[in-house]
Amino acid sequence: DGGITQSPKYLFRKEGQNVTLSCEQNLNHDAMYWYRQDPGQGLRLIYYSQIVNDFQKGDIAEGYSVSREKKESFPLTVTSAQKNPTAFYLCASSMLGNMNTEAFFGQGTRLTVV
Amino acid sequence: SQKIEQNSEALNIQEGKTATLTCNYTNYSPAYLQWYRQDPGRGPVFLLLIRENEKEKRKERLKVTFDTTLKQSLFHITASQPADSATYLCALLASGGSYIPTFGRGTSLIVHP
């Protein structure tokens, strides 16, 4: 089945630690995105990538880093510089140049700082 | 600044009625507007897209309208069912090529049997 997979579903981080959230898609999509969702808030864009080996900052990139070494994979690292990392993280992908531009989302990773 | 507004209060309706959700925006020139459904603890799922030159789009029990003069989209679910209970998000994709979805905070819909 084609889709987008995030792992793990739940992640606990100690203060000062870096953690990496995985996102893999087999939809052959060029574009991939990371969003953060806080309770009662909309999705806020962290980073996006439209081509391998290239990515752009979104609205709230501080304290986060990404890589795009393969078309299928777009991991997100939450660094110790992110002061309030507890949130629900969503990865998405979409086709470029497609008039429908529908975004497909993973099931999310809930990150908690302990 | 750019803003997308959806009613933060939950919408409670009785089964069988039509639910109407609103998405207003300011300082945007969207090429497309999308609606997604999100269930608790899960990622959003795409429902419908409407283009800036379209007034209305339908899919089964769903209808979306788009008024670029009012800067507003309405999302209707007819003959609503308890299974329609979820949060509904609107997303705007601006013209200019990148088409990165920018989301509102969503409105929770609760359909009572």
Side-chain angles (χ1 to χ4, degrees):
Chain A
D1 282 333
I4 181 164
T5 303
Q6 289 186 242
S7 63
K9 188 169 183 178
Y10 299 96
L11 187 57
F12 298 90
R13 190 194 94 167
K14 292 183 180 178
E15 296 277 355
Q17 271 186 341
N18 292 354
V19 290
T20 297
L21 284 59
S22 171
C23 179
E24 304 277 334
Q25 54 98 0
N26 60 4
L27 300 166
N28 199 32
H29 285 169
D30 292 303
M32 297 187 75
Y33 316 87
W34 275 105
Y35 291 91
R36 169 182 172 142
Q37 188 174 35
D38 295 281
Q41 301 288 322
L43 280 64
R44 291 185 289 168
L45 184 66
I46 305 172
Y47 269 97
Y48 67 96
S49 169
Q50 297 182 323
I51 194 170
V52 173
N53 291 324
D54 187 56
F55 47 82
Q56 304 297 325
K57 292 181 179 180
D59 301 318
I60 55 165
E62 185 175 350
Y64 300 97
S65 66
V66 294
S67 62
R68 187 85 187 275
E69 297 177 0
K70 299 186 299 182
K71 187 175 183 179
E72 301 79 20
S73 180
F74 191 40
L76 173 74
T77 296
V78 184
T79 75
S80 57
Q82 170 51 236
K83 298 306 178 190
N84 184 22
T86 294
F88 189 48
Y89 290 86
L90 287 159
C91 181
S93 69
S94 68
M95 292 183 68
L96 281 181
N98 182 321
M99 295 295 285
N100 288 323
T101 61
E102 168 188 350
F104 291 79
F105 282 84
Q107 292 304 298
T109 293
R110 189 166 299 280
L111 174 63
T112 304
V113 174
V114 296
Chain B
S1 63
Q2 296 177 326
K3 191 183 284 189
I4 302 171
E5 293 182 342
Q6 294 186 257
N7 196 339
S8 58
E9 287 186 18
L11 177 64
N12 286 272
I13 64 168
Q14 286 299 124
E15 183 175 7
K17 301 292 187 183
T18 296
T20 299
L21 305 173
T22 304
C23 177
N24 296 299
Y25 60 91
T26 55
N27 297 321
Y28 264 108
S29 295
Y32 305 95
L33 190 145
Q34 299 172 329
W35 284 89
Y36 290 79
R37 169 183 173 141
Q38 185 176 25
D39 290 286
R42 302 180 73 88
V45 175
F46 172 81
L47 296 174
L48 276 172
L49 173 144
I50 189 165
R51 296 178 175 81
E52 62 179 331
N53 60 352
E54 296 176 320
K55 297 293 184 186
E56 181 178 299
K57 202 77 166 282
R58 291 176 185 260
K59 179 181 177 183
E60 297 172 353
R61 293 186 295 114
L62 308 179
K63 185 178 86 171
V64 173
T65 63
F66 193 11
D67 188 327
T68 54
T69 301
L70 289 179
K71 297 186 185 297
Q72 181 181 79
S73 174
L74 300 178
F75 176 77
H76 306 273
I77 306 175
T78 59
S80 60
Q81 305 164 2
D84 295 326
S85 299
T87 296
Y88 291 87
L89 303 163
C90 73
L92 273 61
L93 288 78
S95 56
S98 60
Y99 298 124
I100 299 163
T102 301
F103 287 84
R105 63 177 56 194
T107 298
S108 175
L109 171 66
I110 302 169
V111 181
H112 299 276

